[in-house]
Amino acid sequence: MKVKIFAVLALASALVLTPTQASIPFFSQKNETPTLAPMLEEVTPAVVNISVKGKREVRQRIPDMFRFFFGPGGPREQVQERPFQGLGSGVIIDAKEGYVVTNNHVIDGATEILVTLKDGRQFDATVIGTDNRSDIALLKIKDGEDLTEITIGRSADLRVGDFVVAIGNPFGLGQTVTSGIVSALGRSGLGIEEIENFIQTDAAINSGNSGGALVTLNGELIGINTAILGPNGGNIGIGFAIPSDMMKNLVAQLVEFGEVRRGVLGVRGNDLTHDIAKALDLKANQGAFIAEVIADGAADRAGLKSGDVITAVNGEPIRTFADLGARVGTIGAGKELTLTVLRDGKERKFKVTLSAEEQAVSAASIHPAFNGVTLAPDEQGGLKVTEIEAGSVAERYGIRKNDVILAVNRSPVNSVSELRESLSDAGSVIALNIRRGQSQIYLVLRGG
């Protein structure tokens, strides 16, 4: 405990020595005792508690021994609606409009949403729009008065080691503040959300903190607390927040359209590794290596080529291919962006207007085996199963929601038209190469 106290005092001394740093609201006005209180007094009224009620479908498989009660062709599952309650956090980003940002998983399926302010006032809220792929939701407080909004900062300016503060409602205790540092940036591939570009922090985040604020010592919002990595849901100092820049892009679309109209770049690739950089004689250590440019896509029309390495989007560095996907995936269709690209050892810039993402379509008309399946192009290639009907032919074959179909009988498929063509050429056996989580599997179906 003494070590922590000494560390804080040492930090205080360092801040006092620098006029610019001393302007941070880190000290009390009475005796300059190190404290975050002045900043928190301004910021915490903008962080709210969210309680929800609703009903969710619960599916329970019916044992085969009991199915005879329902006769031939009886249901394989029993579906029931059960009430649920939940708690989370949110952040007021627009006091005039009453807009509150939170996580989609906090309000998913809710029919009643109650927002509680720090001063104890309570308001009903409605959903403006959600994006389950990035886990962002936008709410509107009904008849809210004298609300306090938070200042939104630029998460692109963050550095590893910056001090941050997490504010939320852990375990329903009420508003709670914890502190830490930025442990890492651009975390992806965790399997928490479909689109990931997380800020990692060691500020304590627990159940109920979801949707709360991650702020700088200046009180600027730079992240929406979303998830933790820890056994049994307990905090072990590894928490993740959605960057504010990413959140702002998504919220702007939710306000304008009520949904996210995601843009698509039209490239496939992977991280720029040391081996790739050495083989191509590239003077770069990070970036998104383009292995393939989709014909007539946004990147193709802008002049990008396979072998290019994207190192920045709108001047902000790109570390990995997943980082690129997260940046592009949160910018709306039709938006223009500037890509910094390494080609033949030289840096070039390209202006790209993003294409509109293909919408999900029912696959029932493509082949009888896909009856009950809804597919959509996946950002990393292939076709993703976005929905599957319980008891359908496809489910009995073993196809699951969120599976990504990569190939049919070894022929790659990246669009519905390619899937239809591959299936029409298939014989009596259809072998689907599927990406499921971090693994690849094969499912064998009977042909037409």
Side-chain angles (χ1 to χ4, degrees):
M1 200 62 192
K2 292 182 178 179
V3 174
K4 294 182 181 179
I5 295 173
F6 291 152
V8 171
L9 292 175
L11 172 63
S13 300
L15 289 171
V16 171
L17 290 174
T18 308
T20 303
Q21 291 175 319
S23 65
I24 295 175
F26 188 81
F27 301 98
S28 68
Q29 298 301 310
K30 293 182 179 180
N31 54 14
E32 292 194 346
T33 302
T35 176
L36 293 172
M39 178 272 285
L40 291 172
E41 287 167 359
E42 295 182 10
V43 171
T44 51
V47 182
V48 303
N49 295 347
I50 297 175
S51 58
V52 300
K53 294 180 181 180
K55 290 184 177 180
R56 286 179 180 155
E57 284 189 353
V58 178
R59 298 179 180 273
Q60 185 174 3
R61 192 172 186 85
I62 300 174
D64 291 340
M65 67 179 69
F66 296 122
R67 291 189 62 211
F68 71 89
F69 286 114
F70 301 95
R76 302 177 66 89
E77 289 184 329
Q78 184 179 17
V79 181
Q80 295 180 330
E81 276 196 342
R82 293 183 182 175
F84 75 91
Q85 296 182 355
L87 295 171
S89 308
V91 187
I92 300 174
I93 60 168
D94 189 323
K96 182 180 179 181
E97 297 295 334
Y99 288 150
V100 176
V101 172
T102 185
N103 287 135
N104 178 63
H105 75 258
V106 170
I107 55 89
D108 187 29
T111 54
E112 298 179 35
I113 303 174
L114 185 67
V115 171
T116 303
L117 307 187
K118 183 186 177 184
D119 61 15
R121 288 182 294 157
Q122 295 185 324
F123 300 95
D124 292 327
T126 57
V127 178
I128 298 297
T130 64
D131 182 43
N132 64 338
R133 294 171 66 180
S134 61
D135 202 11
I136 282 291
L138 180 66
L139 312 179
K140 182 178 176 66
I141 294 175
K142 292 182 180 179
D143 304 319
E145 296 181 351
D146 299 324
L147 302 177
T148 300
E149 66 184 49
I150 199 165
T151 301
I152 302 176
R154 275 174 46 88
S155 55
D157 293 338
L158 282 177
R159 297 178 301 170
V160 173
D162 284 349
F163 286 95
V164 289
V165 176
I167 312 170
N169 177 33
F171 302 112
L173 291 172
Q175 193 174 88
T176 301
V177 177
T178 56
S179 65
I181 64 169
V182 173
S183 305
L185 296 167
R187 287 294 194 213
S188 60
L190 303 172
I192 299 172
E193 306 298 344
E194 186 174 335
I195 298 177
E196 298 178 339
N197 188 32
F198 290 122
I199 300 166
Q200 182 182 327
T201 179
D202 66 349
I205 297 174
N206 290 286
S207 178
N209 272 111
S210 291
L214 189 69
V215 303
T216 64
L217 295 187
N218 284 319
E220 295 182 343
L221 179 71
I222 45 81
I224 301 295
N225 300 323
T226 298
I228 60 174
L229 185 65
N232 304 317
N235 173 65
I236 59 171
I238 303 178
F240 302 101
I242 298 170
S244 59
D245 294 348
M246 182 171 163
M247 178 273 291
K248 283 171 60 178
N249 287 333
L250 294 167
V251 165
Q253 296 175 63
L254 293 176
V255 170
E256 185 174 359
F257 308 115
E259 63 180 3
V260 172
R261 298 184 178 179
R262 201 163 264 107
V264 176
L265 183 57
V267 298
R268 299 191 188 100
N270 46 36
D271 300 347
L272 178 65
T273 64
H274 172 75
D275 291 338
I276 293 174
K278 184 177 180 180
L280 299 179
D281 194 24
L282 297 174
K283 295 181 179 179
N285 298 315
Q286 294 181 326
F289 177 75
I290 299 177
E292 180 183 359
V293 177
I294 308 303
D296 201 34
D300 186 33
R301 292 193 294 271
L304 272 73
K305 299 179 180 179
S306 59
D308 286 346
V309 177
I310 299 175
T311 58
V313 174
N314 291 337
E316 297 175 5
I318 292 296
R319 299 174 179 83
T320 64
F321 196 83
D323 190 3
L324 173 67
R327 301 283 181 93
V328 171
T330 54
I331 298 175
K335 299 292 185 181
E336 185 180 83
L337 48 80
T338 300
L339 299 180
T340 304
V341 173
L342 279 180
R343 179 184 293 175
D344 299 327
K346 297 181 180 179
E347 187 175 278
R348 301 179 60 178
K349 295 186 184 297
F350 294 84
K351 290 192 178 296
V352 182
T353 301
L354 297 178
S355 305
E357 183 179 54
E358 289 188 50
Q359 299 299 309
V361 298
S362 171
S365 61
I366 299 175
H367 192 279
F370 288 89
N371 185 33
V373 169
T374 302
L375 299 171
D378 187 73
E379 293 180 348
Q380 298 180 8
L383 289 171
K384 184 172 186 176
V385 178
T386 58
E387 297 291 340
I388 185 165
E389 293 180 10
S392 64
V393 175
E395 187 187 56
R396 291 199 295 270
Y397 273 125
I399 297 175
R400 298 179 186 174
K401 185 177 179 179
N402 294 325
D403 280 352
V404 178
I405 301 172
L406 302 175
V408 174
N409 291 358
R410 297 186 179 276
S411 296
V413 292
N414 294 291
S415 66
V416 173
S417 59
E418 288 181 358
L419 176 63
R420 182 180 286 109
E421 183 179 349
S422 295
L423 289 171
S424 66
D425 295 335
S428 58
V429 176
I430 300 171
L432 299 181
N433 181 203
I434 289 177
R435 183 172 69 242
R436 179 174 293 170
Q438 302 297 321
S439 304
Q440 288 195 26
I441 64 172
Y442 274 92
L443 290 181
V444 179
L445 288 61
R446 292 185 180 275

